[in-house]
Amino acid sequence: VGLAAIFVNFSNGFFHVYQAVVAGHYWPGAVTGGLLYLPLGLFTVHTVSRRRDLGYGHLLGAFAVGTALSFAPILHILHWR
C-alpha cells in the first residue's frame, strides 16, 4: 500500500509534465511533478529493485494501483457533473 502511494504522486507528476509538453506552455503542477514526484518515483523503483525485497511484478502492481488511485478524484468529479 505504501509503495502504491509513492506511485500516486509519480503518475500525477508524469501526467502534469506530459500535459505541459503536449500543450507547449506551463501547466500547473508540472514543476512540482518534474522536480519532486518523478525523481522520487524513480528513486523508489531503483531502491526497491536493488534491495530485491520485491519483484518487478510487485512494482508493476503498485504502479497500476497508484496510477488508478491518481485518477479517482477525476472520476469522482466527472461522475457528479
Side-chain angles (χ1 to χ4, degrees), residues 14-71:
F14 173 79
F15 289 117
H16 278 89
V17 170
Y18 175 79
Q19 285 295 330
V21 170
V22 169
H25 57 82
Y26 174 75
W27 194 267
V31 174
T32 305
L35 295 178
L36 182 63
Y37 297 143
L38 291 179
L40 178 63
L42 293 174
F43 174 76
T44 301
V45 168
H46 176 72
T47 301
V48 170
S49 64
R50 285 190 68 206
R51 291 184 55 181
R52 301 185 191 272
D53 290 341
L54 300 173
Y56 290 110
H58 290 100
L59 282 171
L60 185 60
F63 177 76
V65 169
T67 302
L69 288 174
S70 72
F71 283 107

